Amino acid sequence: MKKGKKIYEGKAKIVFATENKNLVIQHFKDDATAFNNQKRAKIEGKGVLNNRISEYILTNLSQIGIKNHLVKRINMREQLIKFVEIIPVEFIVRNIATGSLTKRLGIEDGTVLDEPLIEYCLKDDKLGDPLISKEHMFAFKWSNKKEIEKIDKYLHRINDFMVGMFRGVGIKLVDFKVEFGRYKNNGKTEVILADEISPDTCRLWDMNTEKKLDKDRFRNDLGNLIGAYQDVARRLGILHEQSNIRPIKFTKPKAVKFKKNK
Ligand code: 5GP
């Protein structure tokens, strides 16, 4: 599939057109951002790991009936995906309270939730991805009841599957963010899982030590993000000891002032 012109560049990925209008190429960059872009760094090798980990998770999810945008991984950094219109909502599922939930509601960090908690945030960096309700989505036509009913079911199934998958390799799935899109094909539109699922978009804690194996290592200056992502990939069996991913240097980000703490 020939790579065409760039059609979108986000914080961690670039999307290129192909000769097929229904398919695009998703390129994983090494850029890491946090706190709505106020903290930035390039972390060599992150894109390669996220490409592999996301491919692994999305492939497994499609095998349990969660339709998603992945067609196939093309190379170390790129995937061929279905071109979707992204629903402008970040769908968050939490199993353990931490991050913005604890700050917003004063819940004690690490509280295990009785049931998975779903939250919806408007995907808008300028506004700091604010928390919204279903009624906001319906009122402003960001989505509709039919889509959200399907997405809510998907979220629970994705969570159940991923909790089990990670538990099997000694990792707690604390929370994660996913995105969905509308895929138009042959006059039909269906909602499918899009974007990526990786340590950039999940909180993953080692089962025994609670060591953070996710992007919080970057957000909170814990260091060795690549070592943690490699650990996740290795445990999932997708990165072998003799990997051709080069040793990675972690570039410490410059000090920044935070306006909003998300
Ligand atoms: P929180 O709302 O606590 O900051 O994040 C909850 C979960 O969603 C975490 O796993 C976090 O990584 C993910 N998440 C929320 N917003 C974003 C975002 O804008 N980008 C990424 N990569 N992950 C996000």
Side-chain angles (χ1 to χ4, degrees), residues 228-241:
Y229 284 31
Q230 282 176 332
D231 188 7
V232 173
R234 225 175 262 126
R235 292 194 205 196
L236 292 173
I238 53 180
L239 178 71
H240 303 290
E241 294 306 323

PDB file of all heavy atoms in Angstrom, residues 228-241:
ATOM      1  N   ALA A 228      10.220   0.231  30.985  1.00  0.00           N
ATOM      2  CA  ALA A 228       8.897  -0.211  31.461  1.00  0.00           C
ATOM      3  C   ALA A 228       8.045  -0.721  30.293  1.00  0.00           C
ATOM      4  O   ALA A 228       7.395  -1.776  30.403  1.00  0.00           O
ATOM      5  CB  ALA A 228       8.202   0.943  32.173  1.00  0.00           C
ATOM      6  N   TYR A 229       8.036   0.002  29.170  1.00  0.00           N
ATOM      7  CA  TYR A 229       7.250  -0.426  28.005  1.00  0.00           C
ATOM      8  C   TYR A 229       7.789  -1.759  27.469  1.00  0.00           C
ATOM      9  O   TYR A 229       7.036  -2.631  27.036  1.00  0.00           O
ATOM     10  CB  TYR A 229       7.272   0.637  26.903  1.00  0.00           C
ATOM     11  CG  TYR A 229       6.398   1.857  27.140  1.00  0.00           C
ATOM     12  CD1 TYR A 229       6.146   2.347  28.421  1.00  0.00           C
ATOM     13  CD2 TYR A 229       5.830   2.555  26.071  1.00  0.00           C
ATOM     14  CE1 TYR A 229       5.370   3.468  28.626  1.00  0.00           C
ATOM     15  CE2 TYR A 229       5.039   3.681  26.262  1.00  0.00           C
ATOM     16  CZ  TYR A 229       4.814   4.137  27.536  1.00  0.00           C
ATOM     17  OH  TYR A 229       4.034   5.260  27.721  1.00  0.00           O
ATOM     18  N   GLN A 230       9.136  -1.889  27.487  1.00  0.00           N
ATOM     19  CA  GLN A 230       9.737  -3.146  27.018  1.00  0.00           C
ATOM     20  C   GLN A 230       9.329  -4.294  27.942  1.00  0.00           C
ATOM     21  O   GLN A 230       9.057  -5.398  27.487  1.00  0.00           O
ATOM     22  CB  GLN A 230      11.264  -3.031  27.004  1.00  0.00           C
ATOM     23  CG  GLN A 230      11.774  -2.261  25.807  1.00  0.00           C
ATOM     24  CD  GLN A 230      13.288  -2.059  25.848  1.00  0.00           C
ATOM     25  OE1 GLN A 230      13.888  -2.006  26.925  1.00  0.00           O
ATOM     26  NE2 GLN A 230      13.896  -1.918  24.689  1.00  0.00           N
ATOM     27  N   ASP A 231       9.243  -4.004  29.223  1.00  0.00           N
ATOM     28  CA  ASP A 231       8.829  -5.021  30.192  1.00  0.00           C
ATOM     29  C   ASP A 231       7.405  -5.491  29.863  1.00  0.00           C
ATOM     30  O   ASP A 231       7.115  -6.698  29.828  1.00  0.00           O
ATOM     31  CB  ASP A 231       8.912  -4.412  31.611  1.00  0.00           C
ATOM     32  CG  ASP A 231       8.690  -5.450  32.697  1.00  0.00           C
ATOM     33  OD1 ASP A 231       8.615  -6.646  32.367  1.00  0.00           O
ATOM     34  OD2 ASP A 231       8.573  -5.051  33.878  1.00  0.00           O
ATOM     35  N   VAL A 232       6.515  -4.524  29.578  1.00  0.00           N
ATOM     36  CA  VAL A 232       5.133  -4.884  29.216  1.00  0.00           C
ATOM     37  C   VAL A 232       5.141  -5.766  27.959  1.00  0.00           C
ATOM     38  O   VAL A 232       4.516  -6.839  27.927  1.00  0.00           O
ATOM     39  CB  VAL A 232       4.273  -3.619  28.975  1.00  0.00           C
ATOM     40  CG1 VAL A 232       2.893  -3.982  28.435  1.00  0.00           C
ATOM     41  CG2 VAL A 232       4.153  -2.794  30.262  1.00  0.00           C
ATOM     42  N   ALA A 233       5.882  -5.327  26.941  1.00  0.00           N
ATOM     43  CA  ALA A 233       5.918  -6.078  25.678  1.00  0.00           C
ATOM     44  C   ALA A 233       6.496  -7.474  25.891  1.00  0.00           C
ATOM     45  O   ALA A 233       5.977  -8.460  25.358  1.00  0.00           O
ATOM     46  CB  ALA A 233       6.740  -5.309  24.646  1.00  0.00           C
ATOM     47  N   ARG A 234       7.547  -7.564  26.680  1.00  0.00           N
ATOM     48  CA  ARG A 234       8.189  -8.856  26.943  1.00  0.00           C
ATOM     49  C   ARG A 234       7.215  -9.796  27.661  1.00  0.00           C
ATOM     50  O   ARG A 234       7.054 -10.947  27.298  1.00  0.00           O
ATOM     51  CB  ARG A 234       9.423  -8.634  27.800  1.00  0.00           C
ATOM     52  CG  ARG A 234      10.615  -9.415  27.315  1.00  0.00           C
ATOM     53  CD  ARG A 234      11.856  -9.073  28.106  1.00  0.00           C
ATOM     54  NE  ARG A 234      12.678  -8.096  27.414  1.00  0.00           N
ATOM     55  CZ  ARG A 234      13.099  -6.951  27.937  1.00  0.00           C
ATOM     56  NH1 ARG A 234      12.772  -6.605  29.161  1.00  0.00           N
ATOM     57  NH2 ARG A 234      13.834  -6.131  27.226  1.00  0.00           N
ATOM     58  N   ARG A 235       6.518  -9.247  28.673  1.00  0.00           N
ATOM     59  CA  ARG A 235       5.585 -10.103  29.423  1.00  0.00           C
ATOM     60  C   ARG A 235       4.452 -10.595  28.531  1.00  0.00           C
ATOM     61  O   ARG A 235       3.940 -11.696  28.710  1.00  0.00           O
ATOM     62  CB  ARG A 235       4.994  -9.323  30.600  1.00  0.00           C
ATOM     63  CG  ARG A 235       6.022  -8.991  31.668  1.00  0.00           C
ATOM     64  CD  ARG A 235       5.279  -8.552  32.889  1.00  0.00           C
ATOM     65  NE  ARG A 235       6.055  -7.691  33.756  1.00  0.00           N
ATOM     66  CZ  ARG A 235       5.719  -7.439  35.021  1.00  0.00           C
ATOM     67  NH1 ARG A 235       4.623  -7.974  35.531  1.00  0.00           N
ATOM     68  NH2 ARG A 235       6.440  -6.636  35.764  1.00  0.00           N
ATOM     69  N   LEU A 236       4.045  -9.746  27.569  1.00  0.00           N
ATOM     70  CA  LEU A 236       2.963 -10.167  26.668  1.00  0.00           C
ATOM     71  C   LEU A 236       3.475 -11.136  25.601  1.00  0.00           C
ATOM     72  O   LEU A 236       2.701 -11.632  24.785  1.00  0.00           O
ATOM     73  CB  LEU A 236       2.319  -8.937  25.998  1.00  0.00           C
ATOM     74  CG  LEU A 236       1.517  -7.999  26.926  1.00  0.00           C
ATOM     75  CD1 LEU A 236       1.092  -6.734  26.177  1.00  0.00           C
ATOM     76  CD2 LEU A 236       0.284  -8.705  27.513  1.00  0.00           C
ATOM     77  N   GLY A 237       4.776 -11.327  25.593  1.00  0.00           N
ATOM     78  CA  GLY A 237       5.371 -12.289  24.650  1.00  0.00           C
ATOM     79  C   GLY A 237       5.571 -11.722  23.262  1.00  0.00           C
ATOM     80  O   GLY A 237       5.704 -12.474  22.294  1.00  0.00           O
ATOM     81  N   ILE A 238       5.597 -10.391  23.148  1.00  0.00           N
ATOM     82  CA  ILE A 238       5.748  -9.803  21.807  1.00  0.00           C
ATOM     83  C   ILE A 238       7.102  -9.122  21.626  1.00  0.00           C
ATOM     84  O   ILE A 238       7.369  -8.536  20.594  1.00  0.00           O
ATOM     85  CB  ILE A 238       4.607  -8.798  21.492  1.00  0.00           C
ATOM     86  CG1 ILE A 238       4.486  -7.741  22.584  1.00  0.00           C
ATOM     87  CG2 ILE A 238       3.314  -9.518  21.301  1.00  0.00           C
ATOM     88  CD1 ILE A 238       3.393  -6.739  22.340  1.00  0.00           C
ATOM     89  N   LEU A 239       7.940  -9.174  22.647  1.00  0.00           N
ATOM     90  CA  LEU A 239       9.290  -8.623  22.497  1.00  0.00           C
ATOM     91  C   LEU A 239      10.217  -9.648  23.123  1.00  0.00           C
ATOM     92  O   LEU A 239      10.112  -9.940  24.302  1.00  0.00           O
ATOM     93  CB  LEU A 239       9.404  -7.289  23.243  1.00  0.00           C
ATOM     94  CG  LEU A 239      10.757  -6.614  23.212  1.00  0.00           C
ATOM     95  CD1 LEU A 239      11.043  -6.066  21.825  1.00  0.00           C
ATOM     96  CD2 LEU A 239      10.805  -5.480  24.218  1.00  0.00           C
ATOM     97  N   HIS A 240      11.066 -10.198  22.317  1.00  0.00           N
ATOM     98  CA  HIS A 240      11.928 -11.254  22.836  1.00  0.00           C
ATOM     99  C   HIS A 240      13.246 -10.646  23.263  1.00  0.00           C
ATOM    100  O   HIS A 240      13.572  -9.524  22.897  1.00  0.00           O
ATOM    101  CB  HIS A 240      12.070 -12.352  21.780  1.00  0.00           C
ATOM    102  CG  HIS A 240      10.720 -12.864  21.394  1.00  0.00           C
ATOM    103  ND1 HIS A 240       9.956 -13.607  22.255  1.00  0.00           N
ATOM    104  CD2 HIS A 240       9.965 -12.647  20.293  1.00  0.00           C
ATOM    105  CE1 HIS A 240       8.784 -13.861  21.670  1.00  0.00           C
ATOM    106  NE2 HIS A 240       8.769 -13.288  20.484  1.00  0.00           N
ATOM    107  N   GLU A 241      14.004 -11.381  24.045  1.00  0.00           N
ATOM    108  CA  GLU A 241      15.254 -10.845  24.594  1.00  0.00           C
ATOM    109  C   GLU A 241      16.129 -10.282  23.479  1.00  0.00           C
ATOM    110  O   GLU A 241      16.702  -9.219  23.599  1.00  0.00           O
ATOM    111  CB  GLU A 241      16.016 -11.924  25.382  1.00  0.00           C
ATOM    112  CG  GLU A 241      15.270 -12.378  26.649  1.00  0.00           C
ATOM    113  CD  GLU A 241      14.893 -11.235  27.577  1.00  0.00           C
ATOM    114  OE1 GLU A 241      15.684 -10.288  27.705  1.00  0.00           O
ATOM    115  OE2 GLU A 241      13.801 -11.282  28.169  1.00  0.00           O
TER     116      GLU A 241
END
